[in-house]
Amino acid sequence: MAEEKKLIKVTIDNITVEVEPNTTILQAARKIGGDVVPPAMCYYTSLENSGGKCRTCLVKVAAGSAADPRPMPKLVASCRTNVMDGMVVENITNPAVLEARKGVVEFLLINHPLDCPVCDQAGECDLQDLSYEHGAEATRYEFRRRTFERIDIGDFIQLHMTRCILCYRCVYVADQVSGKREHGVLDRGDHSQIATYIENSLDNEFIGNVIDVCPVGALTDRTFRFKNRVWFTKPMEAHRDCPTCSGKVRLWMRGDEVFRVTARKDQWGEVKEWICNECRFERKKVSDWIIEGPTKVSRHSVISAGHYEGVKKPKETFSPVMDGAKPKLLLDIQQISSVNKVELSEIQGPATSKTFNGDPHSVGHNVTDVKLDEGRNLQGTDSTNPNV
Ligand code: SF4
Ligand code: FES
């Protein structure tokens, strides 16, 4: 008979929970759930060695263990600190922790631009949420910020290093999931950057998963960029018989069009099963998928806006009132408007005015920051760089 593991007790924000030995404080807090769970920008359960980079998960250990109840002298990263029996942890109940987290957010935002209005990650960005919850209203940073040009790494992924917070998640995905890594963090200190060195393309079968693990908008899906805001799309769970991956995905739909395909994420925003590039980038037709039903979206997410569950449609009354007559349509806007003839999900890039004016297959190219009369702006736009 398997030996039963002895559980240990840990108290987080006055709530006691029993967990297995070698559990981290973060995982113990997730077992409790709700507001006591510290935010995590770099830790990822399924990626070995992740965590310990961003410091957003800092907590105070007010008592180390039942055997040695002395507090730990400094705040600790909850994703990298294991619990001990009798440990007492303070997260949102300790103002010093909240103040420290505010400082961490200020650091993360030194170089990360507040370009949410034009960023494809807006609405599902961990840093955006963190800034709302813990950010300060203004920055104290007065120096030139580091900015980079956007580059396409491979056919499907765009890297905008200006937004990267160097969490290393994409590096671990490339190492541990795709098995063929051609990118990494080059250089050190404020010169550090995610790069492919000689700009080798990242084209291996599972590399698209780097987009899902990126907590900010540094790595984005080129087949979806600028096609829609995520809160206007409707996420649906779907699957297909895929020879390469589990084929279990989330479709981001608008009407009958599939705008984007991603892996499914759990309540902590972590991918449960990695998906292959073919499912992600090349299966954009509803007929490619068996639809399981709408994704359950947390009411706290902006994506839940307008997604009502259990809606009962009002009874159609026109025909009974008009003795069975059908309404007379004067025009069918679907037939008349050329806007409706554009299949946004099928074009390989963002639509432009040309797309809607007679050339439904034309697409825009990467936006390069060009200022009127000044040419190409290598420092970034006003939105990405307040110093220019
Ligand atoms: S590109 Fe994204 S996932 Fe990769 S290190 Fe930067 S923030 Fe993290
Ligand atoms: S999540 Fe713990 S340090 Fe980043």
Side-chain angles (χ1 to χ4, degrees):
M1 211 174 84
E3 206 182 307
E4 245 182 57
K5 274 196 186 152
K6 189 177 173 292
L7 297 180
I8 56 180
K9 278 190 182 155
V10 53
T11 303
I12 305 173
D13 284 343
N14 303 322
I15 304 170
T16 303
V17 65
E18 285 193 325
V19 293
E20 291 187 354
N22 298 326
T23 304
T24 59
I25 297 174
L26 179 70
Q27 291 295 11
R30 285 184 176 182
K31 207 168 166 196
I32 298 171
D35 290 346
V36 305
V37 184
M41 298 287 290
C42 67
Y43 174 79
Y44 215 80
T45 313
S46 52
L47 297 176
E48 215 179 303
N49 293 328
S50 65
K53 318 276 190 309
C54 70
R55 321 308 284 182
T56 52
C57 66
L58 289 178
V59 291
K60 170 80 184 167
V61 175
S65 67
D68 182 359
R70 285 178 300 169
M72 289 190 183
K74 291 182 182 171
L75 303 183
V76 297
S78 60
C79 68
R80 284 292 197 132
T81 310
N82 284 357
V83 295
M84 303 281 280
D85 198 22
M87 183 182 263
V88 178
V89 178
E90 293 167 354
N91 179 21
I92 54 172
T93 51
N94 188 327
V97 172
L98 298 180
E99 194 55 29
R101 197 162 287 150
K102 197 169 165 183
V104 171
V105 176
E106 195 175 354
F107 266 116
L108 287 174
L109 291 178
I110 279 183
N111 288 305
H112 185 98
L114 286 178
D115 63 347
C116 311
V118 296
C119 176
D120 261 311
Q121 190 86 355
E124 49 185 358
C125 174
D126 294 345
L127 188 53
Q128 190 180 28
D129 295 344
L130 199 67
S131 311
Y132 272 109
E133 279 162 30
H134 299 282
E137 305 79 47
T139 178
R140 291 176 287 171
Y141 193 76
E142 291 173 356
F143 305 98
R144 187 171 277 267
R145 288 147 199 269
R146 35 180 244 160
T147 51
F148 297 79
E149 280 198 82
R150 303 170 179 89
I151 51 168
D152 292 335
I153 44 175
D155 289 342
F156 301 120
I157 304 171
Q158 184 171 105
L159 168 66
H160 193 183
M161 227 346 267
T162 309
R163 295 180 184 145
C164 173
I165 59 157
L166 292 166
C167 73
Y168 280 69
R169 281 179 181 178
C170 60
V171 180
Y172 292 131
V173 164
D175 241 354
Q176 297 167 26
V177 181
S178 75
K180 181 172 170 246
R181 176 158 74 88
E182 295 199 27
H183 81 294
V185 177
L186 295 188
D187 301 332
R188 289 291 173 264
D190 75 337
H191 288 279
S192 310
Q193 59 168 305
I194 288 289
T196 54
Y197 208 44
I198 41 176
E199 299 190 6
N200 288 338
S201 66
L202 296 160
D203 57 3
N204 40 79
E205 199 47 84
F206 280 84
I207 200 64
N209 291 293
V210 295
I211 300 168
D212 285 346
V213 300
C214 185
V216 292
L219 290 165
T220 45
D221 178 345
R222 288 181 63 198
T223 67
F224 178 66
R225 280 175 65 81
F226 299 117
K227 284 196 181 161
N228 224 298
R229 302 308 283 174
V230 72
W231 53 89
F232 292 138
T233 61
K234 191 169 175 113
M236 304 286 276
E237 309 295 77
H239 66 267
R240 65 181 271 267
D241 201 3
C242 175
T244 318
C245 68
S246 70
K248 290 184 189 158
V249 302
R250 190 160 290 164
L251 305 181
W252 297 80
M253 301 180 61
R254 185 120 194 227
D256 286 339
E257 282 190 88
V258 177
F259 275 31
R260 178 173 70 153
V261 182
T262 65
R264 297 181 191 179
K265 290 186 177 177
D266 63 14
Q267 59 173 319
W268 311 116
E270 294 183 2
V271 168
K272 291 201 247 176
E273 288 179 80
W274 309 109
I275 61 167
C276 68
N277 285 0
E278 186 187 334
C279 284
R280 183 185 298 274
F281 300 120
E282 287 164 32
R283 298 285 167 176
K284 297 280 181 77
K285 287 204 165 70
V286 184
S287 56
D288 292 330
W289 299 99
I290 298 165
I291 309 267
E292 294 166 23
T295 303
K296 269 212 162 329
V297 183
S298 155
R299 293 301 299 169
H300 292 103
S301 164
V302 67
I303 301 169
S304 72
H307 293 179
Y308 303 107
E309 283 169 35
V311 177
K312 284 201 186 105
K313 283 194 180 168
K315 204 170 144 228
E316 178 56 72
T317 52
F318 190 90
S319 279
V321 170
M322 299 298 287
D323 288 333
K326 292 222 166 96
K328 189 176 169 205
L329 295 178
L330 295 178
L331 64 88
D332 184 348
I333 191 75
Q334 301 287 340
Q335 295 297 325
I336 293 186
S337 165
S338 55
V339 170
N340 292 313
K341 298 197 176 84
V342 174
E343 298 279 354
L344 278 180
S345 56
E346 282 176 22
I347 56 175
Q348 292 298 316
T352 66
S353 57
K354 254 182 161 182
T355 324
F356 296 109
N357 286 307
D359 187 0
H361 299 293
S362 96
V363 289
H365 296 289
N366 280 340
V367 186
T368 27
D369 305 320
V370 178
K371 279 189 166 182
L372 222 53
D373 302 328
E374 285 180 28
R376 199 159 186 195
N377 176 15
L378 298 181
Q379 302 296 335
T381 58
D382 285 346
S383 69
T384 57
N385 189 343
N387 300 320
V388 292

mmCIF file of all heavy atoms in Angstrom, residues 60 71 74 215 322 348 361:
data_model
loop_
_atom_site.group_PDB
_atom_site.id
_atom_site.type_symbol
_atom_site.label_atom_id
_atom_site.label_comp_id
_atom_site.label_asym_id
_atom_site.label_seq_id
_atom_site.Cartn_x
_atom_site.Cartn_y
_atom_site.Cartn_z
ATOM 1 N N LYS A 60 5.447 38.245 2.819
ATOM 2 C CA LYS A 60 6.184 38.299 4.088
ATOM 3 C C LYS A 60 5.974 36.983 4.827
ATOM 4 O O LYS A 60 4.830 36.534 4.984
ATOM 5 C CB LYS A 60 5.626 39.466 4.929
ATOM 6 C CG LYS A 60 6.116 39.497 6.359
ATOM 7 C CD LYS A 60 7.505 40.094 6.455
ATOM 8 C CE LYS A 60 8.044 40.042 7.891
ATOM 9 N NZ LYS A 60 9.480 40.320 7.938
ATOM 10 N N PRO A 71 10.445 35.340 12.180
ATOM 11 C CA PRO A 71 10.082 35.804 10.825
ATOM 12 C C PRO A 71 11.304 35.795 9.909
ATOM 13 O O PRO A 71 12.437 35.894 10.380
ATOM 14 C CB PRO A 71 9.583 37.237 11.062
ATOM 15 C CG PRO A 71 10.185 37.662 12.350
ATOM 16 C CD PRO A 71 10.438 36.433 13.172
ATOM 17 N N LYS A 74 13.620 39.262 5.186
ATOM 18 C CA LYS A 74 13.222 40.029 3.992
ATOM 19 C C LYS A 74 12.000 39.393 3.358
ATOM 20 O O LYS A 74 11.693 38.223 3.608
ATOM 21 C CB LYS A 74 14.346 40.020 2.963
ATOM 22 C CG LYS A 74 15.550 40.804 3.390
ATOM 23 C CD LYS A 74 16.570 40.773 2.281
ATOM 24 C CE LYS A 74 17.825 41.519 2.730
ATOM 25 N NZ LYS A 74 18.919 41.344 1.801
ATOM 26 N N PRO A 215 3.530 36.956 -20.786
ATOM 27 C CA PRO A 215 2.527 37.627 -19.944
ATOM 28 C C PRO A 215 2.163 39.017 -20.463
ATOM 29 O O PRO A 215 1.206 39.623 -20.002
ATOM 30 C CB PRO A 215 3.239 37.735 -18.588
ATOM 31 C CG PRO A 215 4.696 37.757 -18.921
ATOM 32 C CD PRO A 215 4.864 36.934 -20.162
ATOM 33 N N MET A 322 -48.956 39.942 -36.683
ATOM 34 C CA MET A 322 -49.266 40.272 -38.087
ATOM 35 C C MET A 322 -49.971 39.122 -38.808
ATOM 36 O O MET A 322 -49.846 38.984 -40.030
ATOM 37 C CB MET A 322 -47.967 40.625 -38.834
ATOM 38 C CG MET A 322 -47.230 41.818 -38.287
ATOM 39 S SD MET A 322 -48.158 43.347 -38.376
ATOM 40 C CE MET A 322 -48.082 43.704 -40.125
ATOM 41 N N GLN A 348 -3.776 37.166 -44.228
ATOM 42 C CA GLN A 348 -2.567 36.919 -43.439
ATOM 43 C C GLN A 348 -1.981 38.186 -42.828
ATOM 44 O O GLN A 348 -0.785 38.423 -42.919
ATOM 45 C CB GLN A 348 -1.511 36.240 -44.307
ATOM 46 C CG GLN A 348 -1.848 34.830 -44.722
ATOM 47 C CD GLN A 348 -1.978 33.883 -43.524
ATOM 48 O OE1 GLN A 348 -1.156 33.920 -42.619
ATOM 49 N NE2 GLN A 348 -3.004 33.075 -43.514
ATOM 50 N N HIS A 361 -8.186 40.774 -50.348
ATOM 51 C CA HIS A 361 -7.058 39.964 -49.866
ATOM 52 C C HIS A 361 -5.850 40.802 -49.479
ATOM 53 O O HIS A 361 -4.836 40.277 -49.025
ATOM 54 C CB HIS A 361 -6.640 38.938 -50.924
ATOM 55 C CG HIS A 361 -7.745 37.979 -51.245
ATOM 56 N ND1 HIS A 361 -8.197 37.073 -50.321
ATOM 57 C CD2 HIS A 361 -8.516 37.833 -52.342
ATOM 58 C CE1 HIS A 361 -9.208 36.389 -50.844
ATOM 59 N NE2 HIS A 361 -9.413 36.831 -52.070
#
